[in-house]
Amino acid sequence: MMQQSKKVRYIIVLFLLGVSVVALVGWNICVGTVRIPLADIFASIRGKKIENSRILWDIRMPRTLAAMILGGALALAGYLLQTFFHNPIAGPFVLGISSGAKMVVALVMVFLMGQAVKITSWALIAAAFVGAMISMGFVLLMSRRVHNMSMLVVSGVMIGYICSAITELVVTFASDAEIVNLHNWSRGSFSGMTWENVAVMTGVVAVTFFLVFLMAKPLSAYQLGEVYARNLGVDIRLLRIAMVLLSSILSACIVAFAGPISFVGIAAPHLVKSLLGTAKPIWMIPACFLGGSVFCLFCDLLARTMFAPTELSISTVTAIFGAPVVLWIMVRRNKEKMA
């Protein structure tokens, strides 16, 4: 009976998160400097001409879908890293993985734009993946030498600072006016998304999500300890490699299109876990994705509208809501250790 009630709770939470995503997608599309009524949106979908058709289809729709997809990907990457390191404050931004991806993307963009070469979405993802893997490599090396998890996080933060410093140097001394605009991207933003970007990120994130979902049972065993997982026949080495690669792919996709976005990867999984009341991967994986989407859609809405027409960077808003969650996690963990 208790198991049944828990299952009902999980389904209700997933349903509410799904409804929240749909509601926020509609809200993001409607609200802005130019307000678009829902009636006009439905009319445009049916093929009728509306006054703000270009704003709807070329600006608002791609941006909103990107926030939804990349927000979910960011939360999922955070969940994988937290599971991998058994650390509640591990995430792409904190461990410097996002900063490494940002650094290589900035270097590639400066070089190719300087040579007047067009940069494709796939090239950006590939560059970001290389950067993410470089940072992840350093973090993994540190994890072998440093067994204290708090020191590992500090090491990741330092790696992030080094990568960010290199990126700032590249952006600051870029002579071309178009290259200088990298500064906005380097702070994190969903603006300027195109339908090509949305198509590519949808493909990458959908395939990665499917692979992560297939790992639900091995991840569940891994959470209970490596010895326990080995006894159940889980190939720990292969699982750890898969977690590293998949979290890096997700991080790369996010950074390639939106730049580094802070705290979502840490905060969203914990908020979702509190709602579900369980850490079971079979429920956490889809809930994390939906929770990350809700988090980023809400933050992007505030970033666009809070001081309109001035737009805040997405990381500024996510930090406002995400940082208190991290502090709460640390305080709660400290209490558990002292108890």
Side-chain angles (χ1 to χ4, degrees):
M1 191 71 179
M2 185 178 272
Q3 286 284 22
Q4 190 66 27
S5 63
K6 283 183 179 179
K7 197 171 182 180
V8 170
R9 177 181 175 174
Y10 305 154
I11 292 168
I12 289 171
V13 169
L14 286 174
F15 175 75
L16 290 175
L17 286 172
V19 169
S20 300
V21 169
V22 173
L24 282 166
V25 165
W27 197 1
N28 273 262
I29 292 169
C30 291
V31 176
T33 309
V34 176
R35 290 186 176 272
I36 304 174
L38 270 174
D40 284 4
I41 295 170
F42 289 126
S44 184
I45 291 170
R46 289 197 301 269
K48 293 181 181 178
K49 287 187 178 180
I50 62 167
E51 187 181 348
N52 298 307
S53 179
R54 186 179 174 276
I55 294 172
L56 172 63
W57 291 103
D58 295 346
I59 300 172
R60 296 261 179 93
M61 198 77 84
R63 177 173 183 152
T64 300
L65 292 174
M68 180 186 75
I69 295 162
L70 297 181
L74 194 49
L76 195 56
Y79 174 69
L80 285 173
L81 290 170
Q82 287 164 18
T83 305
F84 181 89
F85 289 107
H86 299 291
N87 190 322
I89 57 171
F93 191 83
V94 170
L95 293 178
I97 295 163
S98 294
S99 297
K102 178 181 75 170
M103 178 186 70
V104 176
V105 169
L107 289 168
V108 168
M109 288 176 81
V110 168
F111 177 76
L112 291 182
M113 288 166 78
Q115 301 294 319
V117 177
K118 187 182 177 183
I119 308 165
T120 66
S121 298
W122 292 108
L124 287 177
I125 292 175
F129 179 72
V130 170
M133 289 305 295
I134 290 169
S135 292
M136 180 65 93
F138 278 112
V139 172
L140 291 174
L141 283 173
M142 291 300 297
S143 69
R144 291 191 174 188
R145 294 178 176 272
V146 178
H147 298 291
N148 188 319
M149 279 300 172
S150 58
M151 286 302 296
L152 178 64
V153 171
V154 171
S155 302
V157 171
M158 292 303 105
I159 291 165
Y161 274 123
I162 293 166
C163 294
S164 293
I166 295 169
T167 307
E168 286 300 318
L169 281 171
V170 171
V171 174
T172 302
F173 292 102
S175 57
D176 192 285
E178 194 174 7
I179 296 172
V180 175
N181 288 332
L182 280 168
H183 183 67
N184 293 328
W185 165 83
S186 69
R187 293 183 301 143
S189 176
F190 292 118
S191 63
M193 293 293 172
T194 65
W195 283 106
E196 183 206 350
N197 296 154
V198 172
V200 172
M201 70 177 72
T202 300
V204 173
V205 173
V207 171
T208 310
F209 176 87
F210 178 71
L211 292 173
V212 173
F213 195 74
L214 290 179
M215 290 162 51
K217 281 190 176 181
L219 283 173
S220 185
Y222 182 81
Q223 286 177 338
L224 296 171
E226 291 186 20
V227 175
Y228 178 79
R230 280 197 184 93
N231 290 336
L232 290 178
V234 176
D235 188 332
I236 297 295
R237 185 172 171 275
L238 186 62
L239 181 65
R240 288 170 70 90
I241 289 170
M243 282 194 278
V244 167
L245 288 175
L246 293 174
S247 61
S248 296
I249 289 169
L250 290 169
S251 302
C253 190
I254 296 148
V255 173
F257 294 113
I261 300 173
S262 60
F263 292 105
V264 180
I266 304 173
H270 285 284
L271 292 172
V272 165
K273 186 180 174 182
S274 297
L275 286 171
L276 284 173
T278 184
K280 290 179 181 177
I282 194 76
W283 297 105
M284 277 293 292
I285 290 167
C288 270
F289 190 89
L290 291 172
S293 296
V294 169
F295 198 103
C296 276
L297 283 167
F298 177 69
C299 289
D300 190 47
L301 181 68
L302 292 181
R304 288 194 299 111
T305 59
M306 198 183 295
F307 298 106
T310 302
E311 185 175 314
L312 300 172
S313 73
I314 186 67
S315 283
T316 302
V317 185
T318 55
I320 291 169
F321 292 101
V325 175
V326 176
L327 291 171
W328 168 65
I329 294 162
M330 292 171 72
V331 169
R332 192 177 71 172
R333 207 176 182 214
N334 189 52
K335 281 183 178 179
E336 287 173 357
K337 283 183 178 179
M338 290 177 69

